[in-house]
Amino acid sequence: VVLALLFAAVLVFVARYSAQKDSSLVQCHDGDTCIVEHGLTSRSKIRLIGIDTPEVGQPFASDAKNYVEKSCRDKLIEIKFYGFDQYSRNLVELFCDGASINAQLLKKGLAELYVDRKFDYPRSKFAQKQKVAQAKKVGVWSLGGSRISPRIYRKMQKNLN
């Protein structure tokens, strides 16, 4: 019964938001987690699929957040829904002015790949964008050996607390 209700909720979300074009960005917590508004009354927390941006306190964290907000603020956005993560956030590819924000963050070196094999999203396109950023040594890739992956940074922070 619980599984059936969860499946029904997913279907409703997919039907309403998988190609939602009348959504708008409300705010971002960081470069890969934001709140979007659908119409006038519905809000949801989204997590950009396939990427991991620097955590608050890491180099380029504010750059990633600012890029998303600047690219999408006061514009209608398109959301491609893939499923939910372990924190019940909507995993999405976010489009502003037709461009994938996920891919752009990778290309600008403001994110790194976050591989999740449970979902069928454009992994190879994302990997290509990251390779471009690495080759150009932009964003986090300009840090060289001092770069700490957001995944490792989170673990380090957890161990400190």
Side-chain angles (χ1 to χ4, degrees), residues 52-68:
D52 201 3
T53 61
E55 295 294 318
V56 174
Q58 282 191 280
F60 296 99
S62 60
D63 298 288
K65 176 183 175 180
N66 292 340
Y67 178 78
V68 176

Side-chain angles (χ1 to χ4, degrees), residues 79-95:
I79 298 168
K80 186 169 183 185
F81 175 75
Y82 288 93
F84 296 100
D85 70 5
Q86 67 269 29
Y87 305 108
S88 300
R89 295 175 297 190
N90 302 293
L91 295 173
V92 305
E93 187 171 5
L94 177 63
F95 295 87

Side-chain angles (χ1 to χ4, degrees), residues 15-111:
R16 254 184 104 188
Y17 304 122
S18 65
Q20 185 75 23
K21 293 184 181 180
D22 66 346
S23 299
S24 59
L25 183 74
V26 175
Q27 71 181 45
C28 292
H29 169 71
D30 55 26
D32 56 33
T33 305
C34 301
I35 303 291
V36 294
E37 189 169 71
H38 316 283
L40 298 174
T41 59
S42 177
R43 287 186 176 191
S44 61
K45 185 180 253 187
I46 61 168
R47 171 69 165 78
L48 303 188
I49 195 166
I51 69 168
D52 201 3
T53 61
E55 295 294 318
V56 174
Q58 282 191 280
F60 296 99
S62 60
D63 298 288
K65 176 183 175 180
N66 292 340
Y67 178 78
V68 176
E69 289 180 340
K70 182 180 174 190
S71 298
C72 299
R73 182 79 63 187
D74 299 325
K75 297 178 183 174
L76 290 179
I77 59 176
E78 184 175 348
I79 298 168
K80 186 169 183 185
F81 175 75
Y82 288 93
F84 296 100
D85 70 5
Q86 67 269 29
Y87 305 108
S88 300
R89 295 175 297 190
N90 302 293
L91 295 173
V92 305
E93 187 171 5
L94 177 63
F95 295 87
C96 297
D97 290 335
S100 167
I101 297 301
N102 308 48
Q104 291 302 309
L105 285 164
L106 288 164
K107 182 179 176 183
K108 293 179 177 302
L110 299 176

